[in-house]
């Protein structure tokens, strides 16, 4: 299990949830009620699953594909540690994974 921490855009709230290896980060986020839309459900046709990964955790992730990099170019508030949550699968070796939900991301409920 990996302890996934979601930091709100304003940094004022941290939600923690445990999830098993192999689970996709987008699914973990949505199941935990995080405001990540993920409109295309991982078909690499949106960028509404953009998250900013903790710097230390980012270094452990497999590199983003060129396709993912291209989609990130369309996201707002991109940083050096930006990734698409639909392209991250939890690894059994990760005890924790911390991501921030970027400002300006809204789910269908507008949260
Ligand atoms: S859900 Fe659309 S690119 Fe990730």
């Amino acid at each position: 299990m990996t302890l996934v921490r979601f930091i709100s855009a304003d940094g004022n709230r941290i939600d923690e949830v445990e999830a098993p290896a192999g689970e996709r980060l987008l699914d973990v986020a949505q199941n935990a009620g995080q405001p990540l839309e993920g409109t295309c459900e991982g078909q690499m046709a949106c960028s509404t699953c953009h998250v900013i990964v903790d710097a230390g955790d980012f270094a452990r992730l497999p590199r983003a594909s060129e396709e993912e990099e291209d989609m990130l170019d369309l996201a707002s508030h991109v940083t050096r540690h930006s990734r698409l949550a639909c392209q991250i699968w939890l690894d059994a070796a990760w005890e924790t994974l911390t991501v921030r939900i970027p400002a300006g991301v809204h789910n269908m409920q507008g949260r």
Side-chain angles (χ1 to χ4, degrees), residues 24 26 37-50 71 84-87:
R24 192 172 61 160
L26 175 61
E37 192 166 315
T39 309
C40 76
E41 289 296 325
Q43 299 302 307
M44 300 282 257
C46 72
S47 56
T48 61
C49 62
H50 169 215
M71 285 311 303
L84 296 178
C86 69
Q87 300 302 307

Side-chain angles (χ1 to χ4, degrees), residues 30 33-37 105-111:
Q30 291 181 334
Q34 297 299 310
L36 271 190
E37 192 166 315
V105 174
H106 300 289
N107 67 9
M108 290 174 210
Q109 285 82 42
R111 287 186 292 163

Side-chain angles (χ1 to χ4, degrees), residues 3-31:
L3 180 67
V4 183
R5 292 191 188 100
F6 295 100
I7 303 173
S8 63
D10 61 9
N12 287 336
R13 202 180 78 232
I14 300 176
D15 294 328
E16 296 183 335
V17 60
E18 289 208 323
E23 187 124 337
R24 192 172 61 160
L25 182 59
L26 175 61
D27 299 322
V28 176
Q30 291 181 334
N31 290 338

